[in-house]
Amino acid sequence: MKHAAKWARSFFSVVVLISVLATGHSTAWAYGLMQPATSANLKGIDVSHWQGTIDWNKVKNSGIAFVYAKASKGTTVTDEMFSANVQGARAVGLPIGAYHYASPSAPYNPDQAIAEAQYFVNVMKNGGMGDFGDIMPILDLEEPAATGTLTSDEIASWARVFIDTVKSLTNRQVMIYSGDWFVEQYNDFGGKLSDLPVWIAAWTRYGNTQPPAVGGWTEWTAWQYSDQGIVPGISGYVDLDYGPTSIDALRGYLTTQTTAQTLTTVTVGSSQYSTGNYAKLTTTVKDGSGNPLSGATVALTVKNPRGSVTSVSGKTDANGTYSYSYFIAKNLRGTFNVTATTTLANYHSSSASTTFNVAK
């Protein structure tokens, strides 16, 4: 995860490497190892505003199977690309989750953790992720970078308060992201967080063929193995991750969820304008019993006969419908492909596709 404090990881890793060479031991010797990745593990990326505008079709076509996007930091910062990343990933069918960059500070104050958790949840809601993600939310824990400000017990307590608050507000499990260097720096958090799923950062460019078993964790749920990945559709470096062998293992639902039904219909307007014509695209969202679901987020994409894609999003009304008037340029004829993906808290996301034709 690309942050200003990230230099500390590199510095710490170099120090560890020098220490290993000097002593003849390895971190594996000291801590044991978590499991290696295999070809069966899903590949993912994590992104923020550092990656700028992303071509999500290219990302998906490269074999990436899941995405985490930075949502927030502290209680005042919303990542400027969060909403666009959520909409873009979902438009191409990539499961996406959100992460919050934690800012615990001295003196220890659990109310600070609660405030950050509430802010994170609100950013997800307002950023097009009212269902709190296709995959479980993340607490990014890598501060304070300098020791002596909070104790390992205080860090663990802060994280626990944050996670419990998010869980109560979202009905979702929360996974901890941290670097092996940070976990070691804070004395493995006293092993007090080891019951939670972990996303460990341990980069292969520092010789990690599999992550060290730190913090009381013996297995990772996700492993960030590189901060210098190259992925089609993204300019510059991006973090690369291994996930579990099934996306369901990342869902994190605390109770059984049902799936919203998504139905999309198209009515092509008959009025001919001097520059073109309109098609009315209507998406209807219902629960398993056929009852309309209001407040669902609909991400709508339309691909015209020339291959250009239009993406919009909105909320369903009291009747469970969202309508959009799609403009058809004059003389643009052929088959139009429409995909609607809906998300709503406490429901699995779902999608529907349809086409309509405009005769020449």
Side-chain angles (χ1 to χ4, degrees), residues 32-81:
L33 294 172
M34 298 190 199
Q35 81 273 25
T38 72
S39 59
N41 289 103
L42 301 177
K43 289 188 176 182
I45 56 174
D46 52 276
V47 300
S48 69
H49 65 279
W50 290 101
Q51 279 68 50
T53 301
I54 295 171
D55 186 327
W56 288 103
N57 273 305
K58 289 182 178 179
V59 170
K60 183 179 182 181
N61 291 337
S62 74
I64 295 300
F66 67 92
V67 181
Y68 272 106
K70 182 181 179 182
S72 52
K73 176 181 178 180
T75 58
T76 60
V77 178
T78 298
D79 190 272
E80 63 197 60
M81 292 300 294

Side-chain angles (χ1 to χ4, degrees), residues 264-271 276-283 300-306 308-310 312 324-329 331-340 352-360:
T264 299
T265 60
V266 178
T267 302
V268 180
S270 58
S271 299
N277 166 354
Y278 285 84
K280 186 177 182 181
L281 313 179
T282 301
T283 300
L300 199 64
T301 62
V302 186
K303 185 175 183 181
N304 73 23
R306 295 174 182 169
S308 296
V309 175
T310 298
V312 296
Y324 174 69
S325 292
Y326 174 75
F327 179 70
I328 305 169
N331 298 323
L332 181 58
R333 302 294 180 259
T335 300
F336 293 74
N337 296 282
V338 182
T339 300
S353 297
T354 189
T355 62
F356 66 92
N357 293 289
V358 176
K360 294 182 179 180

